[in-house]
Protein backbone atom coordinates (compact mmCIF):
# COMPACT_ATOMS: atom_id res chain seq x y z
CA UNK A 1 0.00 0.00 0.00
CA UNK A 2 1.51 3.30 -1.06
CA UNK A 3 1.90 5.98 1.58
CA UNK A 4 0.91 9.51 0.60
CA UNK A 5 1.60 12.37 3.01
CA UNK A 6 -0.71 15.39 3.04
CA UNK A 7 0.93 18.62 1.99
CA UNK A 8 0.62 20.43 5.31
CA UNK A 9 -2.23 22.75 4.34
CA UNK A 10 -5.37 23.05 6.44
CA UNK A 11 -8.93 22.46 5.27
CA UNK A 12 -11.57 19.75 5.50
CA UNK A 13 -10.33 16.25 6.28
CA UNK A 14 -12.56 13.18 6.30
CA UNK A 15 -11.30 10.05 8.06
CA UNK A 16 -13.27 6.97 7.06
CA UNK A 17 -13.45 3.20 7.41
CA UNK A 18 -12.30 3.24 11.04
CA UNK A 19 -12.27 -0.23 12.56
CA UNK A 20 -11.78 0.82 16.18
CA UNK A 21 -12.20 4.33 17.58
CA UNK A 22 -10.64 4.94 21.00
CA UNK A 23 -12.15 8.07 22.54
CA UNK A 24 -9.67 8.91 25.30
CA UNK A 25 -12.66 9.19 27.65
CA UNK A 26 -12.21 6.70 30.48
CA UNK A 27 -15.96 6.63 31.08
CA UNK A 28 -16.58 5.55 27.47
CA UNK A 29 -13.25 4.47 25.99
CA UNK A 30 -14.59 2.98 22.74
CA UNK A 31 -16.91 4.89 20.40
CA UNK A 32 -19.46 3.32 18.08
CA UNK A 33 -18.31 5.34 15.09
CA UNK A 34 -16.39 4.84 11.86
CA UNK A 35 -15.91 8.40 10.62
CA UNK A 36 -14.32 11.65 11.82
CA UNK A 37 -14.66 14.96 10.02
CA UNK A 38 -12.08 17.69 10.65
CA UNK A 39 -12.26 21.33 9.58
CA UNK A 40 -9.22 23.59 9.90
CA UNK A 41 -7.61 21.47 12.59
CA UNK A 42 -10.66 20.88 14.78
CA UNK A 43 -13.03 17.93 14.99
CA UNK A 44 -16.47 18.91 13.66
CA UNK A 45 -18.19 15.50 13.51
CA UNK A 46 -17.77 11.98 14.89
CA UNK A 47 -20.16 9.18 13.97
CA UNK A 48 -21.27 6.82 11.24
CA UNK A 49 -20.40 7.79 7.67
CA UNK A 50 -24.08 7.99 6.68
CA UNK A 51 -24.68 10.60 9.39
CA UNK A 52 -21.65 12.81 8.63
CA UNK A 53 -21.17 15.43 5.93
CA UNK A 54 -18.24 13.91 4.05
CA UNK A 55 -18.61 16.07 0.95
CA UNK A 56 -16.06 18.52 -0.44
CA UNK A 57 -13.16 17.14 1.59
CA UNK A 58 -9.74 18.43 0.71
CA UNK A 59 -8.16 15.30 2.17
CA UNK A 60 -9.68 11.85 2.64
CA UNK A 61 -7.99 9.23 4.80
CA UNK A 62 -9.08 5.60 4.47
CA UNK A 63 -8.07 3.90 7.71
CA UNK A 64 -8.64 0.40 6.29
CA UNK A 65 -10.37 -0.89 9.44
CA UNK A 66 -7.44 0.00 11.70
CA UNK A 67 -7.64 2.05 14.91
CA UNK A 68 -7.75 5.78 15.46
CA UNK A 69 -6.90 7.10 18.93
CA UNK A 70 -6.19 10.55 20.32
CA UNK A 71 -2.56 11.58 20.04
CA UNK A 72 -0.62 10.60 23.15
CA UNK A 73 0.17 13.29 25.72
CA UNK A 74 3.48 12.98 27.56
CA UNK A 75 2.73 14.63 30.89
CA UNK A 76 6.35 14.85 32.04
CA UNK A 77 9.31 15.87 29.89
CA UNK A 78 12.40 18.04 30.38
CA UNK A 79 13.03 20.01 27.19
CA UNK A 80 15.57 22.78 26.87
CA UNK A 81 15.59 24.64 23.54
CA UNK A 82 14.59 23.41 20.13
CA UNK A 83 14.78 19.72 19.35
CA UNK A 84 18.00 19.18 21.31
CA UNK A 85 18.66 17.72 24.73
CA UNK A 86 21.95 18.47 26.47
CA UNK A 87 21.18 15.66 28.92
CA UNK A 88 22.06 13.13 26.21
CA UNK A 89 23.53 15.57 23.67
CA UNK A 90 20.93 14.34 21.20
CA UNK A 91 19.21 16.12 18.34
CA UNK A 92 15.74 15.30 17.05
CA UNK A 93 14.36 13.62 20.15
CA UNK A 94 10.99 15.38 20.04
CA UNK A 95 10.35 14.60 16.38
CA UNK A 96 11.40 11.02 17.06
CA UNK A 97 8.91 10.82 19.91
CA UNK A 98 6.19 12.03 17.53
CA UNK A 99 6.97 8.84 15.60
CA UNK A 100 5.98 7.11 18.84
CA UNK A 101 2.51 8.64 18.72
CA UNK A 102 3.10 11.63 21.01
CA UNK A 103 1.44 14.83 19.82
CA UNK A 104 1.69 16.94 23.00
CA UNK A 105 4.43 17.23 25.63
CA UNK A 106 4.29 19.05 28.97
CA UNK A 107 7.45 20.37 30.58
CA UNK A 108 8.20 19.59 34.21
CA UNK A 109 11.05 22.10 34.12
CA UNK A 110 13.89 23.04 31.80
CA UNK A 111 16.32 21.72 34.38
CA UNK A 112 18.97 20.35 32.03
CA UNK A 113 19.95 23.72 30.56
CA UNK A 114 23.70 24.09 31.09
CA UNK A 115 24.22 26.86 33.64
CA UNK A 116 20.52 27.01 34.48
CA UNK A 117 19.96 30.26 36.42
CA UNK A 118 18.77 29.80 39.99
CA UNK A 119 18.42 33.43 40.98
CA UNK A 120 14.84 34.68 40.91
CA UNK A 121 15.27 37.12 38.01
CA UNK A 122 17.08 34.50 35.96
CA UNK A 123 14.66 31.64 36.60
CA UNK A 124 11.73 33.82 35.62
CA UNK A 125 13.52 34.95 32.47
CA UNK A 126 14.28 31.33 31.51
CA UNK A 127 10.67 30.25 32.03
CA UNK A 128 9.29 33.09 29.94
CA UNK A 129 11.86 32.48 27.20
CA UNK A 130 11.14 28.73 27.06
CA UNK A 131 7.40 29.36 26.97
CA UNK A 132 7.80 31.80 24.10
CA UNK A 133 10.28 29.66 22.17
CA UNK A 134 8.16 26.49 22.17
CA UNK A 135 5.01 28.47 21.48
CA UNK A 136 6.70 29.61 18.28
CA UNK A 137 8.39 26.32 17.34
CA UNK A 138 6.90 22.83 17.15
CA UNK A 139 9.46 20.11 16.41
CA UNK A 140 7.75 17.62 14.11
CA UNK A 141 4.52 19.48 14.79
CA UNK A 142 4.51 18.40 18.46
CA UNK A 143 2.91 20.87 20.87
CA UNK A 144 5.49 21.40 23.63
CA UNK A 145 4.00 23.27 26.59
CA UNK A 146 7.15 24.63 28.17
CA UNK A 147 8.35 27.37 30.46
CA UNK A 148 8.12 25.67 33.85
CA UNK A 149 10.26 27.48 36.43
CA UNK A 150 11.96 25.59 39.25
CA UNK A 151 10.93 27.47 42.38
CA UNK A 152 13.65 28.70 44.73
CA UNK A 153 13.71 30.16 48.22
CA UNK A 154 13.09 33.89 48.31
CA UNK A 155 10.27 33.91 45.76
CA UNK A 156 7.23 35.96 46.79
CA UNK A 157 3.64 36.09 45.59
CA UNK A 158 4.35 38.87 43.11
CA UNK A 159 6.83 36.63 41.26
CA UNK A 160 4.05 34.16 40.48
CA UNK A 161 1.73 36.97 39.41
CA UNK A 162 4.43 38.30 37.10
CA UNK A 163 5.04 34.85 35.60
CA UNK A 164 1.34 34.31 34.97
CA UNK A 165 0.95 37.72 33.35
CA UNK A 166 3.85 36.83 31.04
CA UNK A 167 2.10 33.64 29.88
CA UNK A 168 3.68 31.00 32.14
CA UNK A 169 1.13 28.31 33.09
CA UNK A 170 3.31 25.62 34.68
CA UNK A 171 5.70 25.13 37.58
CA UNK A 172 8.64 22.81 37.20
CA UNK A 173 9.00 19.96 39.65
CA UNK A 174 8.82 21.26 43.19
CA UNK A 175 11.86 19.84 44.97
CA UNK A 176 14.39 20.22 42.17
CA UNK A 177 15.37 23.61 43.56
CA UNK A 178 16.04 24.89 47.04
CA UNK A 179 12.39 24.66 48.14
CA UNK A 180 12.07 21.19 49.64
CA UNK A 181 10.13 21.61 52.88
CA UNK A 182 6.42 20.93 52.73
CA UNK A 183 5.36 24.19 54.36
CA UNK A 184 7.48 26.28 51.97
CA UNK A 185 6.20 24.42 48.94
CA UNK A 186 2.59 24.67 50.09
CA UNK A 187 2.72 28.46 50.19
CA UNK A 188 4.26 28.77 46.74
CA UNK A 189 1.95 26.14 45.22
CA UNK A 190 -1.00 28.15 46.57
CA UNK A 191 0.37 31.35 45.02
CA UNK A 192 0.82 29.57 41.70
CA UNK A 193 -2.71 28.15 41.82
CA UNK A 194 -4.12 31.61 42.62
CA UNK A 195 -2.71 32.90 39.32
CA UNK A 196 -3.65 29.90 37.19
CA UNK A 197 -0.26 28.17 37.21
CA UNK A 198 -0.40 24.38 37.55
CA UNK A 199 2.15 22.70 39.81
CA UNK A 200 3.93 19.34 39.81
CA UNK A 201 5.95 17.94 42.72
CA UNK A 202 8.93 15.63 42.48
CA UNK A 203 8.16 12.37 44.30
CA UNK A 204 10.82 9.96 45.54
CA UNK A 205 14.59 10.02 45.74
CA UNK A 206 16.94 12.57 44.12
CA UNK A 207 17.36 12.48 40.36
CA UNK A 208 19.80 15.28 39.51
CA UNK A 209 22.40 17.21 41.53
CA UNK A 210 20.56 19.67 43.74
CA UNK A 211 17.43 17.59 44.07
CA UNK A 212 16.64 15.54 47.15
CA UNK A 213 14.23 13.11 48.72
CA UNK A 214 10.63 14.26 48.60
CA UNK A 215 8.71 11.86 50.82
CA UNK A 216 5.04 11.12 51.31
CA UNK A 217 4.53 13.72 54.03
CA UNK A 218 6.08 16.52 51.96
CA UNK A 219 3.93 15.59 48.95
CA UNK A 220 0.77 15.66 51.05
CA UNK A 221 1.65 18.95 52.76
CA UNK A 222 2.67 20.72 49.56
CA UNK A 223 -0.59 19.68 47.85
CA UNK A 224 0.67 20.27 44.30
CA UNK A 225 -1.77 19.68 41.45
CA UNK A 226 0.22 16.76 40.03
CA UNK A 227 1.96 14.08 42.10
CA UNK A 228 4.89 13.94 39.70
CA UNK A 229 6.34 10.53 38.84
CA UNK A 230 4.61 8.86 41.79
CA UNK A 231 6.59 5.72 40.91
CA UNK A 232 9.89 7.57 41.26
CA UNK A 233 12.13 9.36 38.89
CA UNK A 234 14.15 7.18 39.20
CA UNK A 235 13.99 6.00 42.84
CA UNK A 236 10.53 5.34 44.21
CA UNK A 237 9.05 5.69 47.65
CA UNK A 238 7.91 2.42 49.17
CA UNK A 239 4.94 0.76 47.53
CA UNK A 240 2.92 1.33 50.70
CA UNK A 241 3.67 5.05 50.75
CA UNK A 242 2.76 5.35 47.08
CA UNK A 243 -0.56 3.63 47.72
CA UNK A 244 -1.07 5.93 50.71
CA UNK A 245 -0.61 8.93 48.43
CA UNK A 246 -3.19 7.56 46.01
CA UNK A 247 -5.65 7.22 48.90
CA UNK A 248 -4.89 10.31 50.96
CA UNK A 249 -4.53 12.85 48.15
CA UNK A 250 -7.10 13.80 45.53
CA UNK A 251 -4.48 15.07 43.08
CA UNK A 252 -3.38 13.63 39.75
CA UNK A 253 -1.40 10.39 39.92
CA UNK A 254 1.40 10.65 37.38
CA UNK A 255 3.17 7.41 36.41
CA UNK A 256 6.33 7.60 34.28
CA UNK A 257 8.46 5.37 32.12
CA UNK A 258 11.71 6.36 33.86
CA UNK A 259 10.54 5.13 37.25
CA UNK A 260 9.99 1.94 39.19
CA UNK A 261 7.89 -0.39 37.03
CA UNK A 262 6.65 -2.53 39.92
CA UNK A 263 5.41 0.54 41.76
CA UNK A 264 3.92 1.92 38.54
CA UNK A 265 1.65 -1.10 38.35
CA UNK A 266 0.78 -0.84 42.05
CA UNK A 267 -0.17 2.84 41.68
CA UNK A 268 -2.43 2.20 38.69
CA UNK A 269 -4.11 -0.72 40.41
CA UNK A 270 -4.58 1.35 43.57
CA UNK A 271 -6.36 4.04 41.56
CA UNK A 272 -8.72 1.46 40.11
CA UNK A 273 -9.41 -0.03 43.53
CA UNK A 274 -10.12 3.46 44.87
CA UNK A 275 -12.48 4.01 41.93
CA UNK A 276 -10.56 7.03 40.68
CA UNK A 277 -8.93 5.83 37.42
CA UNK A 278 -9.52 9.29 35.93
CA UNK A 279 -6.67 10.60 38.12
CA UNK A 280 -4.00 8.44 36.42
CA UNK A 281 -1.84 10.18 33.81
CA UNK A 282 1.31 9.02 32.06
CA UNK A 283 4.66 10.53 31.16
CA UNK A 284 8.21 9.49 30.35
CA UNK A 285 10.33 11.82 32.53
CA UNK A 286 12.76 12.01 29.66
CA UNK A 287 15.28 13.00 28.56
CA UNK A 288 17.05 11.66 31.60
CA UNK A 289 20.05 9.61 32.57
CA UNK A 290 18.39 6.57 31.04
CA UNK A 291 18.11 8.39 27.74
CA UNK A 292 15.36 9.37 25.33
CA UNK A 293 12.46 6.99 24.86
CA UNK A 294 10.55 7.65 21.61
CA UNK A 295 8.24 4.72 22.43
CA UNK A 296 8.11 5.37 26.18
CA UNK A 297 4.43 6.28 26.22
CA UNK A 298 3.41 3.23 24.21
CA UNK A 299 5.55 1.08 26.48
CA UNK A 300 3.74 2.44 29.54
CA UNK A 301 0.36 1.71 27.94
CA UNK A 302 1.43 -1.87 27.21
CA UNK A 303 3.12 -2.36 30.60
CA UNK A 304 0.13 -1.29 32.66
CA UNK A 305 -2.26 -3.29 30.49
CA UNK A 306 -0.26 -6.52 30.32
CA UNK A 307 1.32 -6.75 33.78
CA UNK A 308 -1.26 -4.62 35.57
CA UNK A 309 -4.20 -6.55 34.09
CA UNK A 310 -5.90 -3.32 33.04
CA UNK A 311 -7.91 -3.29 29.80
CA UNK A 312 -5.87 -1.69 27.04
CA UNK A 313 -8.62 0.76 26.12
CA UNK A 314 -8.35 2.19 29.65
CA UNK A 315 -4.56 2.50 29.64
CA UNK A 316 -4.82 4.47 26.39
CA UNK A 317 -7.09 6.87 28.31
CA UNK A 318 -4.35 7.31 30.93
CA UNK A 319 -2.14 8.59 28.11
CA UNK A 320 -4.72 10.83 26.45
CA UNK A 321 -8.06 12.04 27.81
CA UNK A 322 -7.18 11.83 31.50
CA UNK A 323 -4.20 14.10 30.93
CA UNK A 324 -6.16 16.45 28.72
CA UNK A 325 -8.81 16.98 31.39
CA UNK A 326 -6.43 17.29 34.32
CA UNK A 327 -4.11 19.57 32.35
CA UNK A 328 -6.96 21.61 30.80
CA UNK A 329 -5.93 20.88 27.20
CA UNK A 330 -8.06 21.03 24.05
CA UNK A 331 -6.81 17.69 22.77
CA UNK A 332 -6.61 14.08 23.99
CA UNK A 333 -10.30 13.31 23.43
CA UNK A 334 -12.13 12.48 20.22
CA UNK A 335 -15.10 14.78 20.42
CA UNK A 336 -16.40 17.82 18.58
CA UNK A 337 -14.39 21.04 18.97
CA UNK A 338 -11.26 19.24 20.18
CA UNK A 339 -7.98 19.50 18.27
CA UNK A 340 -7.58 16.93 15.52
CA UNK A 341 -4.55 15.22 17.06
CA UNK A 342 -4.67 11.51 16.21
CA UNK A 343 -2.48 8.44 16.13
CA UNK A 344 -3.46 5.76 13.61
CA UNK A 345 -2.46 2.38 14.99
CA UNK A 346 -2.86 -1.32 14.32
CA UNK A 347 -1.49 -4.51 15.74
CA UNK A 348 2.16 -5.08 14.92
CA UNK A 349 3.00 -7.57 12.21
CA UNK A 350 3.24 -11.14 13.59
CA UNK A 351 2.05 -10.29 17.10
CA UNK A 352 0.36 -13.16 18.91
CA UNK A 353 -2.58 -10.85 19.63
CA UNK A 354 -5.72 -11.37 17.60
CA UNK A 355 -6.33 -7.61 17.32
CA UNK A 356 -4.86 -4.30 18.52
CA UNK A 357 -6.25 -4.35 22.06
CA UNK A 358 -5.43 -8.02 22.59
CA UNK A 359 -1.86 -7.47 21.38
CA UNK A 360 -1.36 -4.57 23.82
CA UNK A 361 -2.83 -6.61 26.66
CA UNK A 362 -0.26 -9.28 25.81
CA UNK A 363 2.49 -6.66 26.20
CA UNK A 364 3.25 -5.95 22.54
CA UNK A 365 3.71 -2.41 21.28
CA UNK A 366 1.36 -1.59 18.40
CA UNK A 367 2.49 -0.33 15.04
CA UNK A 368 1.84 3.29 14.08
CA UNK A 369 0.68 3.89 10.53
CA UNK A 370 0.25 7.66 10.73
CA UNK A 371 0.27 10.63 13.10
CA UNK A 372 -1.88 13.74 12.65
CA UNK A 373 -1.58 17.02 14.57
CA UNK A 374 -4.11 19.82 14.11
CA UNK A 375 -5.54 18.04 11.08
CA UNK A 376 -2.17 17.81 9.33
CA UNK A 377 -0.44 14.48 8.68
CA UNK A 378 2.98 14.70 10.31
CA UNK A 379 4.32 11.24 9.53
CA UNK A 380 3.24 8.07 7.77
CA UNK A 381 4.42 4.66 8.90
CA UNK A 382 6.49 5.19 12.03
CA UNK A 383 10.20 4.59 11.75
CA UNK A 384 10.33 3.58 15.42
CA UNK A 385 7.45 1.19 16.11
CA UNK A 386 7.27 -2.34 14.75
CA UNK A 387 5.47 -2.23 11.39
CA UNK A 388 1.70 -2.08 11.64
CA UNK A 389 -0.18 -4.89 9.90
CA UNK A 390 -2.29 -2.34 7.99
CA UNK A 391 -1.83 1.39 7.50
CA UNK A 392 -4.07 4.24 6.30
CA UNK A 393 -3.97 5.73 2.83
CA UNK A 394 -4.35 9.43 2.07
CA UNK A 395 -5.91 11.15 -0.90
CA UNK A 396 -5.52 14.92 -1.20
CA UNK A 397 -7.48 16.93 -3.75
CA UNK A 398 -6.38 20.20 -5.31
Amino acid sequence: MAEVIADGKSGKVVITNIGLLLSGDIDKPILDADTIVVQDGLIVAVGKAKDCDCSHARTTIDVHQTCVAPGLIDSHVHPVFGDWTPRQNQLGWIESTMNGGVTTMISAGEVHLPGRPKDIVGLKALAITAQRAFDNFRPGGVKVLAGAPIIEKGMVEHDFKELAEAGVTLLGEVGLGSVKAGYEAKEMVAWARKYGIQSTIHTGGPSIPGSGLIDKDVVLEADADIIGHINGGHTSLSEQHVCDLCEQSSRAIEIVHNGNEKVAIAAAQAALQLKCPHRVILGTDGPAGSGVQPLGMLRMVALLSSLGNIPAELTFCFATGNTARLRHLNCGLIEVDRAADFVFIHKAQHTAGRDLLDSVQRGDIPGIGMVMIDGIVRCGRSRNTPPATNIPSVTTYA
Side-chain angles (χ1 to χ4, degrees):
M1 182 186 303
E3 296 178 55
V4 182
I5 306 302
D7 63 9
K9 295 180 181 179
S10 188
K12 185 174 182 178
V13 180
V14 175
I15 302 167
T16 65
N17 198 16
I18 299 170
L20 173 67
L21 186 54
L22 298 179
S23 69
D25 183 351
I26 203 158
D27 294 322
K28 189 179 180 181
I30 299 175
L31 294 178
D32 182 19
D34 59 16
T35 300
I36 303 172
V37 181
V38 174
Q39 182 68 52
D40 296 330
L42 294 177
I43 301 169
V44 295
V46 181
K48 298 292 187 179
K50 63 182 178 61
D51 300 320
C52 297
D53 177 8
C54 299
S55 62
H56 307 296
R58 185 172 185 277
T59 301
T60 298
I61 299 175
D62 185 338
V63 181
H64 298 290
Q65 287 295 296
T66 60
C67 173
V68 178
L72 307 180
I73 305 171
D74 189 337
S75 177
H76 194 123
V77 295
H78 291 292
V80 177
F81 290 124
D83 204 353
W84 166 68
T85 167
R87 182 69 165 166
Q88 294 296 336
N89 196 25
Q90 182 172 333
L91 291 168
W93 70 278
I94 296 174
E95 188 271 343
S96 191
T97 302
M98 181 270 292
N99 271 263
V102 172
T103 56
T104 299
M105 293 178 166
I106 301 169
S107 175
E110 295 76 38
V111 294
H112 301 315
L113 177 71
R116 172 173 63 90
K118 300 179 182 180
D119 64 287
I120 295 171
V121 172
L123 72 86
K124 289 191 294 184
L126 172 60
I128 295 167
T129 300
Q131 184 273 324
R132 295 287 195 281
F134 280 106
D135 194 46
N136 292 326
F137 176 60
R138 293 183 177 180
V142 177
K143 302 168 186 178
V144 183
L145 308 181
I150 303 300
I151 58 176
E152 301 285 353
K153 289 185 177 183
M155 293 184 74
V156 297
E157 181 177 344
H158 182 74
D159 294 316
F160 295 88
K161 183 175 186 290
E162 185 180 15
L163 284 164
E165 289 173 346
V168 171
T169 60
L170 302 166
L171 285 191
E173 287 181 65
V174 176
L176 295 187
S178 57
V179 176
K180 294 180 172 64
Y183 71 93
E184 291 178 311
K186 180 179 181 179
E187 182 177 45
M188 293 190 185
V189 163
W191 287 335
R193 190 174 291 133
K194 178 179 178 179
Y195 295 106
I197 299 174
Q198 192 175 63
S199 56
T200 297
I201 191 164
H202 178 95
T203 308
S207 58
I208 61 172
S211 64
L213 170 66
I214 302 296
D215 63 19
K216 179 189 76 169
D217 293 335
V218 173
V219 173
L220 290 172
E221 185 174 10
D223 193 34
D225 299 303
I226 311 292
I227 304 176
H229 52 58
I230 197 170
N231 60 318
H234 303 272
T235 307
S236 176
L237 301 178
S238 71
E239 187 172 320
Q240 182 59 58
H241 281 188
V242 167
C243 291
D244 288 344
L245 284 174
C246 293
E247 184 173 6
Q248 296 171 26
S249 171
S250 62
R251 301 301 183 181
I253 299 166
E254 184 185 76
I255 302 172
V256 301
H257 180 275
N258 286 344
N260 183 307
E261 293 174 333
K262 184 173 185 291
V263 175
I265 294 166
Q269 291 177 334
L272 266 65
Q273 291 164 6
L274 293 165
K275 301 187 185 306
C276 58
H278 60 282
R279 290 170 53 201
V280 179
I281 61 178
L282 304 184
T284 58
D285 195 14
S290 57
V292 169
Q293 301 86 25
L295 304 184
M297 290 294 290
L298 284 177
R299 288 191 174 278
M300 289 304 300
V301 166
L303 170 78
L304 295 177
S305 180
S306 59
L307 297 184
N309 295 315
I310 301 172
E313 60 268 28
L314 297 187
T315 59
F316 273 104
C317 294
F318 296 165
T320 57
N322 279 6
T323 311
R325 284 177 169 153
L326 288 165
R327 294 288 199 172
H328 314 299
L329 306 176
N330 189 37
C331 57
L333 292 154
I334 295 184
E335 60 185 29
V336 172
D337 291 332
R338 295 273 178 173
D341 298 348
F342 308 130
V343 56
F344 299 74
I345 49 180
H346 200 216
K347 65 178 184 179
Q349 292 178 9
H350 305 296
T351 175
R354 62 182 178 275
D355 55 30
L356 169 70
L357 296 180
D358 185 52
S359 69
V360 172
Q361 286 167 193
R362 291 170 181 263
D364 283 337
I365 294 173
I368 291 177
M370 186 178 292
V371 175
M372 172 179 283
I373 303 176
D374 289 331
I376 299 171
V377 176
R378 296 295 182 171
C379 76
R381 190 192 290 274
S382 169
R383 68 173 185 268
N384 291 330
T385 65
T389 302
N390 291 319
I391 62 173
S393 56
V394 180
T395 303
T396 299
Y397 305 94

